[in-house]
Amino acid sequence: MYLLHGKLTAKDGKADRLADMLLDASKLVSTAIGCRLYVIGKDENDLNSVYVTEIWDSKEDHDNSLKVESVRELIARVKPILGAQPTKGQELEILGGSGITI
Amino acid sequence: MYLLHGKLTAKDGKADRLADMLLDASKLVSTAIGCRLYVIGKDENDLNSVYVTEIWDSKEDHDNSLKVESVRELIARVKPILGAQPTKGQELEILGGSGITI
């Protein structure tokens, strides 16, 4: 099982819009093969940034989700409001735990 | 809703033991009030470290879980195998998403 924890940084004043778009993304991927978790978070000390924490059955399932047309369209709409190039998220192999069925 | 993403670093050779103890912790907290997610992860580029990604209904619920006797006992058993002082994890306010009921 694969966890990806990443950050996107919006242009000034656009963080709420970015968060809304990522909440839309969470709906798009909620039925994608292998998607276990896709949550949107905010750090009170970094108000221009929006975090996405995802758990997938495999990295391959995650990568395949990026090829879906509706997801690609959403990514294209997100890019103009980003204030910085997205950095590579942290990737983890999930060993187990509670809250998702492993 | 509150997300905490933290890292614990084991002494050399103790990372598997640390991961097993944290998997035990995930069982302990799985029935704790407000615990939505508690997963244990490994980074292939940082073999001495073990990551814990938690989602709770509130920070208060998380903090209360640390007062439970069985959790305190487990923390006491973890400390001797740590190779570094735990650093403060990343705290996020979860706005929404999929995979947990929000």
Side-chain angles (χ1 to χ4, degrees):
Chain A
M1 198 165 286
Y2 169 78
L3 182 146
L4 180 62
H5 180 66
K7 176 172 91 161
L8 292 170
T9 301
K11 290 177 179 166
D12 284 349
K14 299 290 187 188
D16 288 349
R17 178 79 189 114
L18 175 59
D20 285 344
M21 294 170 93
L22 293 170
L23 288 165
D24 287 344
S26 76
K27 288 171 199 151
L28 287 179
V29 300
S30 65
T31 57
I33 292 170
C35 186
R36 300 298 193 100
L37 182 81
Y38 191 105
V39 291
I40 313 305
K42 289 280 293 176
D43 177 348
E44 66 181 5
N45 299 312
D46 183 5
L47 293 178
N48 277 353
S49 294
V50 183
Y51 289 79
V52 183
T53 306
E54 308 173 42
I55 298 177
W56 295 79
D57 282 340
S58 67
K59 177 171 172 23
E60 186 182 12
D61 284 339
H62 166 267
D63 293 351
N64 283 337
S65 76
L66 300 179
K67 300 172 189 164
V68 173
E69 186 59 27
S70 57
V71 174
R72 292 169 64 94
E73 287 173 8
L74 194 140
I75 292 170
R77 290 204 304 278
V78 162
K79 280 184 178 169
I81 66 166
L82 296 183
Q85 279 290 103
T87 52
K88 187 170 159 57
Q90 183 180 32
E91 297 179 294
L92 299 178
E93 169 69 20
I94 294 296
L95 305 177
S98 67
I100 49 175
T101 307
I102 301 209
Chain B
M1 199 166 287
Y2 170 78
L3 181 147
L4 179 62
H5 180 66
K7 176 172 92 160
L8 293 170
T9 301
K11 291 178 179 166
D12 284 348
K14 299 290 189 189
D16 288 348
R17 177 80 189 113
L18 175 59
D20 285 343
M21 294 170 92
L22 292 169
L23 287 166
D24 286 344
S26 77
K27 289 172 198 151
L28 287 178
V29 301
S30 65
T31 56
I33 293 169
C35 185
R36 300 300 191 99
L37 181 82
Y38 191 105
V39 291
I40 313 306
K42 288 278 292 175
D43 177 350
E44 64 181 8
N45 299 312
D46 182 6
L47 293 178
N48 278 351
S49 294
V50 183
Y51 289 79
V52 183
T53 306
E54 308 172 42
I55 298 177
W56 296 79
D57 282 340
S58 67
K59 177 170 170 30
E60 187 181 13
D61 284 338
H62 166 267
D63 293 351
N64 284 336
S65 75
L66 301 178
K67 300 172 190 164
V68 174
E69 186 59 27
S70 57
V71 174
R72 292 169 64 93
E73 287 173 10
L74 194 141
I75 292 170
R77 290 204 303 279
V78 162
K79 281 186 178 168
I81 67 166
L82 296 183
Q85 279 289 103
T87 52
K88 187 170 160 56
Q90 184 180 30
E91 296 178 294
L92 299 178
E93 170 69 20
I94 294 295
L95 305 177
S98 67
I100 49 176
T101 309
I102 302 210

